[in-house]
Amino acid sequence: MKKLTLLVAFTMLLQLAFAGGLLTNYNQSAQYVRMLSRNAALEIDAVFYNPAGLVKMEDGWHFAFYSQTIFQNREVNTEFPLLNDGYYKGETTVPVFPDLYAVYKKDKWAFSLGLGPVGGGGTSTFDRGLPSFEIPISKAVPALAGLSQINPALGVTGYSADLAFDGSSTYWGIQVGATYAINEIFSVYGGVRVMPSTNAYKGSITNVMLEAGGQMNPAPAWLTGASATVSGIAGQASEGANIMYGTAATMQPVIDAGGGGFTLAQLEGAGYIDAATRAQVEGGLLYIGVPSEQIDMMNLSQVQGTYNAAGDELTTTVAILNGTAQTLEATSGAMEDREVDTKQKGLGFTPIIGINISPNDDWNIGLKYEHKTSLTLKNETKVDDLGLFPDGAEGSYDVPGIFTAGVGYRGIDKFELQLSYNIYFDKGVDYGYNVRYSSVGQQVHRDIDKNYFELGLGIQYNITDNFALSVGGLISENGVSPEYQSDFSYSNSSKTLAGGFMWKITDRLTFDFGVLNTFYIDDTVEFTDPDVGKYKEHYAKTTFDVAAGLSYSIF
């Protein structure tokens, strides 16, 4: 049986992105959570969404702090036929998801600072593990069922195991930059985001049990005992082979003397063998399954050939049994408790450029391009029973480039509209190989068919100068291929609805509050396993987000 291992599963990012592309969090302010469209923003959260528009703010200092509480459930339902239960649920709760912004605006210049988790930001916990953990264990049942042919008490009919996995991923973004107003219409931005990043993985496979003889038994000890039992049977078979070969050898002098063509009865009558010898030889033939009527007709050469053939068969059986015993012993080691506890840390840099176009007071257009982030993470490993994370080893975890565009319109009395478009250049990033295929010795690349995009519309209704309500809608469509999806890392296209309010407490202090709910489209992928053939796996997800925050200006 193959060694139980998570293979490259742990190295796959768990995609804890909550609103955005495959790896990117785009939910970076309470205004976004209540509108879902901020790419043409001219308020302080433009530090992230439209930094080239910051020169439209009043001269002075501007600060903002927002926090979100996020709940996400991930459901994997696999039809792999050998599992006890194919349903797995992972829960992610992020109590605090902070964003901090600061802007200093003076005449044609604006200098800005932003801090927030641009990727990840939470821990996903799977109390039952994932199919990639359990499938190798489930295969033990059919793989060991044949032991019942050796000894009925050794027949394996079921299994159980305690599986657990926690994966967290946080990519902080520290963004600094400068904005310059070329004239009243055009302004430009240049900046960089420093991205200190950490992935952490804790996983365990413990208490693996095998059901045999109607009882659940600790797998390592039971397999070791089964190995000893099979080895004992192999020893008995070896002794039997020696007896067969030895008995055949005693017949050779009689055959050499010309007695090979005579039956046992004729040899006894001629005095070549005595009655005891004849009875012993016939008893051996009966034991190995030769009918008595056939024995009466066999000559000595045929009897010798039958004994040698039986010895050969037992010798083959001995080899098979010894091989089985060795496999059981090796499997016993693979069924022992395993644990992984590691972190991966690194630092990346993202150059950012932007342009803002304000043809008049009613219209505003924001454009931004974030370059691809080259990111290398280094292992800091505490426990690695599976040999997956050599301490100090490095791996690539690049984040795709992003182009964003937004159009804002304020020409309708008391209404503000924003339309936003994002495209994530996922085809420019190598997402590695699919863990599900890797676990069965295949290499299938996690291909991207087309780049991920989002289209959002936000509407704000200004009830008074100090209070406004808003709603928003967002459509997201991923471009992943079926080969991309696995239980560890999958993406679902989605639709999101949002709402909230803005309360301008004073001329300097503003409070924003928003909620959103994302409705993901379930996805189904078909896998082919070399042992069981084709089966389907279903992926689902839900996200609910509550955000609030304050912004303050010093004019």
Side-chain angles (χ1 to χ4, degrees), residues 8 432-447 483:
V8 296
Y433 295 93
N434 192 309
V435 61
R436 183 54 56 78
Y437 293 100
S438 299
S439 66
V440 292
Q442 302 176 23
Q443 283 196 331
V444 175
H445 198 267
R446 305 176 74 217
D447 290 333
E483 291 76 21

Side-chain angles (χ1 to χ4, degrees), residues 408-422:
Y409 181 64
R410 305 184 181 191
I412 304 175
D413 185 38
K414 293 189 176 182
F415 281 93
E416 297 180 21
L417 308 178
Q418 278 207 40
L419 181 67
S420 295
Y421 173 80
N422 301 335

Side-chain angles (χ1 to χ4, degrees), residues 78-91:
T78 180
E79 297 178 11
F80 189 82
L82 302 180
L83 294 171
N84 294 331
D85 181 359
Y87 178 75
Y88 303 80
K89 184 176 181 179
E91 296 182 349

Side-chain angles (χ1 to χ4, degrees), residues 239-249 284 287-288 306-308 310-311 314:
E239 291 179 5
N242 291 335
I243 291 172
M244 293 297 162
Y245 289 136
T247 302
Y287 180 78
I288 62 177
T306 301
Y307 267 87
N308 280 325
L314 285 171

Side-chain angles (χ1 to χ4, degrees), residues 9 34 56 91 114 124 134 239 294-295 349 407 485 492:
R34 67 181 175 84
K56 298 297 180 180
E91 296 182 349
S124 190
E134 193 168 349
E239 291 179 5
Q294 183 178 341
I295 295 174
F349 298 89
V407 178
Q485 307 283 60
N492 303 70

